[in-house]
Amino acid sequence: MEDRKLTVRAVERALDILLCFTKDNELGLTEIAGQIGLHKSTVHRLLTTLEEKGFLTRNAATEKYRLGIRVWELSTHLPAYDESAALLLPAMERLRDRLGETVSLYLRDGLERVRIQAVQSQQAIRRVAQIGARLPLSVGASSKVLAAYAPPEVLQSLLEGPGWPDYVERDAYKHQLQEIMKLGYATSFEEREPGAAAVAVPVVGRSGTVVAALSVSGPVSRLSQETLLAYAAVLHETAAEMGLMLP
């Protein structure tokens, strides 16, 4: 039993190392050890194994690691939502061209949202959205949309979980979710990022359930409350178009 525990712990630590690269393209030994809270000698052994298996590659000049070819090979076998992200890309591009701001598509995964597709604004000052980014459900327009239409047990876990931010009042948040379900959209002003604003709407699949959140985001200097409300109607048009393409 003890050997099994050690094996599982080693797997968890190796996965923790790989997850470090969701935020950074290249990381050194010291940086990785600091992020996951392990001694450098332990991390070095795990890095060596991951490199040998092709999950990481090391730059000999900088001594830093980045994701290896095995990760990209695995990505070619992602489930259907990845295909949906590619299918919905043209509609998102048309929305970006129409509104001039960054467009993102999110799915809920547990108590987080994951950006599965994004189309960047072409303006000089814009919000850059990284595909694959994981964000909490507690703040942000898309988070509130996904939380509003999530099963009750998900909302309860979210509100009672240890990751709930102290600066967000739970009762006010629940009231926001009720309003979102009435209005059909959510807005946010600098809730997660200083200087950023967004509006999001649900994407309803053919089954009648909310399968994603579609958002437009950009700097608060361009996105006033009035502008976001006008954009919400345009987002609903695109979301309806997308819903016909999804199960």
Side-chain angles (χ1 to χ4, degrees):
M1 180 64 71
E2 184 63 28
D3 288 344
R4 183 176 179 275
K5 288 182 179 179
L6 290 173
T7 302
V8 172
R9 190 176 300 122
V11 173
E12 290 177 343
R13 289 171 171 176
L15 291 173
D16 285 340
I17 289 175
L18 292 176
L19 289 173
C20 289
F21 293 90
T22 60
K23 299 179 181 178
D24 298 282
N25 291 330
E26 280 196 342
L27 290 168
L29 171 61
T30 302
E31 295 170 300
I32 296 171
Q35 286 193 33
I36 65 176
L38 291 177
H39 195 276
K40 287 196 288 186
S41 61
T42 301
V43 174
H44 184 265
R45 290 195 297 270
L46 292 167
L47 287 171
T48 299
T49 300
L50 289 168
E51 185 181 6
E52 289 174 351
K53 293 294 185 179
F55 287 93
L56 292 177
T57 182
R58 185 172 63 91
N59 186 323
T62 64
E63 296 281 321
K64 291 195 172 187
Y65 295 83
R66 64 187 305 129
L67 293 176
I69 189 66
R70 290 296 182 188
V71 175
W72 304 117
E73 290 177 345
L74 288 174
S75 71
T76 63
H77 300 286
L78 283 171
Y81 70 74
D82 188 62
E83 298 174 7
S84 298
L87 179 67
L88 300 177
L89 182 59
M92 294 176 66
E93 290 175 336
R94 289 193 295 272
L95 182 62
R96 185 272 315 275
D97 294 343
R98 184 174 176 182
L99 300 181
E101 302 292 352
T102 296
V103 178
S104 299
L105 186 69
Y106 294 91
L107 295 183
R108 182 180 65 82
D109 184 19
L111 302 182
E112 296 179 309
R113 56 174 161 131
V114 183
R115 186 183 292 119
I116 65 166
Q117 188 61 277
V119 181
Q120 312 296 342
S121 168
Q122 296 175 335
Q123 302 200 52
I125 299 176
R126 63 185 182 272
R127 184 170 178 273
V128 177
Q130 181 183 5
I131 296 175
R134 285 181 170 269
L135 303 166
L137 281 185
S138 52
V139 291
S142 295
S143 289
K144 291 183 290 188
V145 164
L146 293 172
Y149 294 94
E153 61 270 20
V154 172
L155 181 57
Q156 182 177 357
S157 297
L158 176 65
L159 293 169
E160 298 176 358
W164 186 263
D166 294 335
Y167 60 90
V168 180
E169 209 281 318
R170 288 177 173 82
D171 287 339
Y173 181 83
K174 288 190 288 186
H175 178 71
Q176 284 188 65
L177 299 189
Q178 293 172 356
E179 288 298 307
I180 288 166
M181 295 188 72
K182 291 179 183 177
L183 299 172
Y185 66 85
T187 61
S188 64
F189 289 91
E190 300 185 297
E191 290 186 3
R192 194 179 61 82
E193 294 181 36
V199 58
V201 303
V203 178
V204 181
R206 292 193 301 272
S207 63
T209 59
V210 172
V211 294
L214 177 67
S215 78
V216 166
S217 59
V220 292
S221 59
R222 289 200 301 265
L223 298 181
S224 65
Q225 180 70 29
E226 293 75 16
T227 301
L228 292 183
L229 294 181
Y231 284 1
V234 182
L235 261 71
H236 275 299
E237 294 176 14
T238 302
E241 176 186 350
M242 289 178 167
L244 297 176
M245 307 179 197
L246 298 174

